[in-house]
Amino acid sequence: MQITDIRIRKVEKEGKMKAVVSITIDDEFVVHDIKVIEGEKGLFIAMPSRKANDGEYRDIAHPINSATRENIQNMILEKYKTEIENEKNSQML
C-alpha cells in the first residue's frame, strides 16, 4: 500500500484541531476527514469517526495495525509541517 496523495486543509480557528486531511491510497482509494490534532504530547492524527448511540466515537476507517497507523501519521504530519513552514517563509517575503 502506498499513499500517493495527501491534501491538507488547515483549520483557521483556534483550538486543538489544526487541519483536516484527505489521503489517496495507490491512486485508487481516498480517505477523507482525517484530523490533525495538537495534543499534550504534540501533533497526532485522528481517523474519521462517527458518534455511536452510546455517545462514544468510533473510527469508520482505520489501519489494522499500529505500524500502518504510524506510517500514515508520519507522512501526514511531515506534509503538514512542510506546509506550515512554507506558509511562514512566504509571509516573510
Side-chain angles (χ1 to χ4, degrees), residues 31-68:
V31 179
H32 296 291
D33 296 333
I34 300 170
K35 295 166 188 69
V36 175
I37 299 175
E38 179 77 50
E40 292 179 10
K41 298 178 183 177
L43 293 172
F44 67 94
I45 64 167
M47 298 304 288
S49 61
R50 177 181 308 169
K51 192 173 187 178
N53 291 337
D54 63 4
E56 293 287 320
Y57 284 89
R58 295 198 174 81
D59 289 351
I60 55 176
H62 59 87
I64 297 297
N65 59 58
S66 59
T68 301

